[in-house]
Amino acid sequence: MTASRTPTAAAELRGAGLRVTAARVALLDTVRQGGHLGAETIAGRVRERVGHISLQAVYEALHALTAAGLVRRIEPAGGPARFEGRTGDDHHHLVCRECGAVTDVDRVAGRAACLEPAHAAGYLIDTADVTFWGLCPACRPHGTGDRGSTASTLAAPPTT
């Protein structure tokens, strides 16, 4: 019996029909290790591994990797695009209004949030991006404890 192995970044690039380069391998590995990174942060980390790479080359590679489904691009309103390696599932994001931190949040099992709008206008809907906005624990004012579940915290009306 053989153990299943996680494919290497190079194998995934080949499987997606993309050219395998040291920069692309480093970029894919960086995104998968780093959470929700901006292009400039990714470029800096890739440079640490492979030497010089232009920011334009990083954007082009990120575009190719996103189109191939190997990375996911998220665009929180008012902020730069971020890239993550968690693809192929239906997860959502929490974004801090103060510091911009982004955290993954799994969707509630058995529910497909926002995939059935009241009026689809003829669109065939295949995905939905749900972003919850608020203050992360580090930015939340002291003394404001957890008011219960995330859902009740997000849905609670503002206090006056």
Side-chain angles (χ1 to χ4, degrees):
M1 183 171 156
T2 60
S4 64
R5 294 178 20 183
T6 303
T8 65
E12 289 185 83
L13 289 165
R14 273 189 218 96
L18 298 173
R19 191 167 42 97
V20 177
T21 65
R24 281 186 176 175
V25 168
L27 195 146
L28 185 55
D29 286 342
T30 297
V31 171
R32 291 203 170 144
Q33 294 167 0
H36 306 90
L37 303 174
E40 290 185 14
T41 300
I42 294 168
R45 292 184 185 176
V46 170
R47 286 181 191 120
E48 291 172 3
R49 291 182 58 180
V50 300
H52 179 74
I53 184 171
S54 71
L55 189 55
Q56 181 62 35
V58 168
Y59 275 111
E60 289 171 3
L62 286 168
H63 177 73
L65 294 173
T66 301
L70 297 176
V71 301
R72 180 177 177 187
R73 176 185 174 123
I74 62 169
E75 298 182 59
R82 307 273 188 99
F83 298 87
E84 67 176 331
R86 186 174 171 186
T87 61
D89 67 349
D90 188 18
H91 73 279
H92 310 306
H93 296 96
L94 297 164
V95 179
C96 180
R97 289 185 189 280
E98 186 71 27
C99 69
V102 179
T103 302
D104 287 337
V105 61
D106 293 329
R107 69 177 179 87
V108 176
R111 294 161 126 179
C114 302
L115 287 180
E116 295 182 28
H119 179 65
Y123 284 71
L124 175 61
I125 298 170
D126 58 17
T127 190
D129 287 323
V130 176
T131 303
F132 299 99
W133 293 87
L135 295 175
C136 71
C139 294
R140 193 168 54 204
H142 297 304
T144 57
D146 187 6
R147 292 186 269 164
S149 73
T150 302
S152 65
T153 302
L154 292 170
T159 58
T160 55

